Amino acid sequence: MVDYIVDIGLEVHVELATRTKMFCGCPVVDPTHCEPNIAVCPVCTGMPGVLPVVNKKAVEFGIKAALALNCKIAEQSIFARKNYFYPDLPKGYQISQYEYPLAKNGYLKIVTSQGERDIRIRRAHLEEDTGKLTHFSEEGNSYSLVDLNRSGIPLLEIVTEPDIHSIEEALAYSHALHTLLRYLEVTTGDMEKGAMRFEANVSLRPANSNTMGKRVEIKNLNSFRAMERAIAYQITQQRKLLEKGRTVTQETLGWDDVHSVTVAQRSKEEAHDYRYFPEPDLPPLIVEKDWLKKITTSIPELPYAKKQRYKKEYGLQNDDIDRLISEKPVAEYFETCLQEAAHISPKVVANWITGELFSWMNQSGEHIQDLRVHPKDLVELLRNVERKTINQNTAKDVLLEMLHSGKNSANIIQQKDLQQISDGTFIERLIQNVLAENPQEVDYYLNGKETVANWFFGQVMKAAKGKANPKVVKEELARQLELLKSG
Ligand SMILES: [Zn+2]
């Protein structure tokens, strides 16, 4: 049986998080909270005789993303008309960039079970989004409605070389890109609202061949899950064809998530079908050196660099790091905690965040920015544990109450009288009482059933209402049991 190499290239459309559209002043509105066709004007509805004006913020966001992807930014790029007819495109063309894109030749580092690799970025260019069609079918009649609120929203299209060779790599790339762009705050990254959409080119070639196979393009992949399933489906289909000695047809397909199949959309257009030509209503886009410099310095520490630093500076494990850096606000929360309390171990802080706070956020649906417990409050709580004012378990209860009520830890500890008891004489007496009240269990213990010691420990903690310092109790209990044995 022939072995095949899979070649995948990804095109990612990213909605840039500007306030207004790419070429007009219409606001960018949330598609889930807005009536159709209200954020529109003559420019973005394609009325004749209107003139587009480039949104500077969109260009800035595009440059920022391209720089973070290690691309070379073109000093001069050209907007072009991509001509085609579709009901969601009233102008009959889309303003995009073709021959001279904003940025070229970058790469993004990915990490998979196979280790680290660079996926090359071929180009990143600016364009405008189309409107949105919704298809209905009622009592045998089918019809479609068009909403132009989305028409003209700025997009950055990021295109890779066909460097991706497995589904794992495709997912690693898309997740890394999603995280990176959210760190840069150039997009909301909200996939459910279509802020990031994927298209995948998939082809197979025999392992001994250097010539790429015929590729199939899959459009409309609006979630990581859909992308994963669609690529897996195509790999299986193409392998079956090739194994039967047949050829793959080069075409564009859509992904039907409900039936889990790719479906024919239209035969693949070649670039010349679009009759690209420079947009006559827009001058060349010039990126001046000073502006480029300013944007470069505005780029924050990015996830890959952060990961290396957390490993080196804080000695954290990969899994912990991945959880801390997956969202920039979480990483910021963690770093603020460390600034507040340089002496508390980063590992301890990381555990409280990825343990208690994450489980609270999962249950409540709150984001870390919404928590009533700020970094300084968490640190204050951890100081109480460190000073042994309260023990670990009490601290977890206090934290829960802090998250519920927004009260600070000192208040809760005082109000509920939760201070940990470390007083040796008090604990000594407590243990004496427990042993005196349970002569039968003492007998069991003296006759060799040593596990009873755990039961005694539980009884003492119960008598102390959970507030006794467990370490002191353990030591004192061992001492008294030892005395009984030798006595
Ligand atoms: Zn408009």
Side-chain angles (χ1 to χ4, degrees):
M1 213 168 84
V2 193
D3 223 7
Y4 291 98
I5 294 177
V6 179
D7 296 301
I8 303 168
L10 287 177
E11 292 176 18
V12 186
H13 285 93
V14 182
E15 266 185 20
L16 298 173
T18 51
R19 280 190 312 105
T20 56
K21 291 187 180 180
M22 186 72 212
F23 300 113
C24 63
C26 288
V28 171
V29 293
D30 183 336
T32 52
H33 288 102
C34 201
E35 292 282 302
N37 298 310
I38 59 155
V40 293
C41 74
V43 175
C44 56
T45 50
M47 296 294 134
V50 294
L51 286 176
V53 177
V54 175
N55 180 337
K56 190 174 177 188
K57 200 70 189 172
V59 180
E60 182 191 317
F61 282 176
I63 293 174
K64 209 169 172 179
L67 283 171
L69 289 166
N70 308 291
C71 287
K72 179 142 181 32
I73 308 295
E75 273 174 49
Q76 175 175 308
S77 56
I78 308 274
F79 285 104
R81 283 192 185 178
K82 179 181 183 179
N83 299 282
Y84 67 95
F85 172 76
Y86 207 64
D88 62 6
L89 188 73
K91 283 202 293 244
Y93 61 86
Q94 180 190 26
I95 304 179
S96 180
Q97 293 184 316
Y98 179 56
E99 238 177 314
Y100 304 99
L102 178 71
K104 285 200 286 196
N105 301 333
Y107 64 89
L108 177 63
K109 265 194 196 314
I110 62 162
V111 183
T112 65
S113 55
Q114 310 295 309
E116 219 175 87
R117 266 193 68 211
D118 291 347
I119 303 298
R120 287 173 299 158
I121 309 286
R122 182 183 294 169
R123 57 186 277 150
H125 69 251
L126 293 164
E127 61 184 32
E128 57 179 339
D129 210 344
T130 59
K132 192 172 166 48
L133 292 176
T134 312
H135 308 286
F136 295 90
S137 186
E138 281 169 2
E139 296 163 8
N141 292 320
S142 56
Y143 60 98
S144 302
L145 297 178
V146 65
D147 176 10
L148 297 180
N149 284 345
R150 197 179 74 179
S151 170
I153 290 183
L155 292 179
L156 184 69
E157 181 175 334
I158 301 165
V159 183
T160 73
E161 297 291 346
D163 282 355
I164 297 167
H165 300 302
S166 66
I167 293 172
E168 188 193 5
E169 286 186 353
L171 283 173
Y173 171 81
S174 338
H175 281 289
L177 183 64
H178 185 246
T179 308
L180 180 80
L181 297 174
R182 283 175 38 92
Y183 260 70
L184 295 168
E185 295 174 31
V186 297
T187 179
T188 63
D190 195 334
M191 317 263 296
E192 278 168 18
K193 293 177 185 167
M196 205 167 155
R197 285 130 44 196
F198 300 96
E199 292 176 22
N201 296 310
V202 183
S203 65
L204 263 60
R205 66 183 143 108
N208 57 9
S209 164
N210 288 324
T211 317
M212 300 270 288
K214 280 261 173 62
R215 68 200 178 114
V216 165
E217 188 176 333
I218 321 166
K219 286 184 174 294
N220 307 341
L221 303 173
N222 295 340
S223 69
F224 296 119
R225 182 89 188 107
M227 185 187 67
E228 178 182 356
R229 296 172 67 212
I231 293 175
Y233 179 83
Q234 260 306 312
I235 291 174
T236 312
Q237 293 298 312
Q238 292 188 25
R239 188 188 294 272
K240 273 192 211 155
L241 278 177
L242 295 173
E243 277 170 359
K244 280 186 206 151
R246 293 167 58 186
T247 50
V248 173
T249 317
Q250 179 157 327
E251 60 184 340
T252 302
L253 302 173
W255 173 246
D256 178 343
D257 211 32
V258 179
H259 301 100
S260 304
V261 289
T262 47
V263 288
Q265 280 207 322
R266 52 185 180 203
S267 60
K268 172 71 187 158
E269 300 89 348
E270 295 294 332
H272 61 247
D273 293 333
Y274 290 121
R275 299 285 190 273
Y276 279 100
F277 64 85
E279 167 61 58
D281 291 337
L282 286 169
L285 179 67
I286 310 282
V287 179
E288 281 172 359
K289 283 210 170 65
D290 284 351
W291 194 38
L292 187 60
K293 215 173 178 180
K294 215 168 134 195
I295 299 172
T296 309
T297 52
S298 76
I299 293 179
E301 183 180 40
L302 297 175
Y304 183 79
K306 211 178 254 305
K307 187 167 183 172
Q308 304 306 313
R309 183 167 67 81
Y310 279 18
K311 225 181 274 182
K312 197 163 150 239
E313 269 179 36
Y314 306 140
L316 297 177
Q317 301 293 316
N318 280 337
D319 283 359
D320 281 339
I321 299 177
D322 287 341
R323 299 182 73 193
L324 288 172
I325 67 172
S326 65
E327 304 266 348
K328 191 175 167 205
V330 174
E332 282 169 353
Y333 190 102
F334 171 67
E335 289 177 29
T336 314
C337 285
L338 296 187
Q339 280 158 19
E340 293 274 340
H343 64 288
I344 295 183
S345 121
K347 173 78 186 149
V348 168
V349 178
N351 284 346
W352 279 87
I353 293 175
T354 59
E356 308 306 308
L357 290 189
F358 274 26
S359 99
W360 168 267
M361 291 190 285
N362 276 338
Q363 282 164 25
S364 67
E366 286 178 354
H367 296 288
I368 204 153
Q369 309 93 295
D370 311 328
L371 296 183
R372 304 172 85 168
V373 175
H374 299 292
K376 67 170 178 17
D377 306 318
L378 178 64
V379 165
E380 190 51 46
L381 176 73
L382 298 185
R383 281 210 185 95
N384 277 308
V385 179
E386 196 186 35
R387 286 190 212 114
K388 303 204 165 39
T389 317
I390 52 173
N391 64 36
Q392 190 93 358
N393 281 333
T394 309
K396 287 183 184 174
D397 295 339
V398 173
L399 181 59
L400 263 186
E401 169 132 16
M402 290 163 73
L403 288 161
H404 267 294
S405 68
K407 282 186 200 156
N408 67 35
S409 54
N411 257 334
I412 297 169
I413 293 168
Q414 205 179 20
Q415 258 174 22
K416 300 206 156 180
D417 191 22
L418 291 175
Q419 277 97 330
Q420 177 165 261
I421 302 160
S422 299
D423 176 356
T425 351
F426 178 80
I427 289 175
E428 194 183 325
R429 229 176 300 136
L430 219 52
I431 295 174
Q432 279 167 354
N433 288 342
V434 167
L435 295 179
E437 283 161 13
N438 299 287
Q440 182 140 38
E441 279 70 19
V442 172
D443 266 354
Y444 291 155
Y445 179 82
L446 293 178
N447 288 318
K449 204 176 169 198
E450 304 220 332
T451 49
V452 182
N454 294 330
W455 183 81
F456 284 133
F457 175 78
Q459 294 301 305
V460 177
M461 291 304 284
K462 203 166 140 194
K465 299 193 177 74
K467 293 187 293 180
N469 180 332
K471 195 163 163 262
V472 179
V473 172
K474 239 174 222 158
E475 283 166 11
E476 176 59 19
L477 181 63
R479 194 186 67 84
Q480 292 199 23
L481 289 173
E482 201 49 42
L483 270 180
L484 284 175
K485 250 194 216 167
S486 57

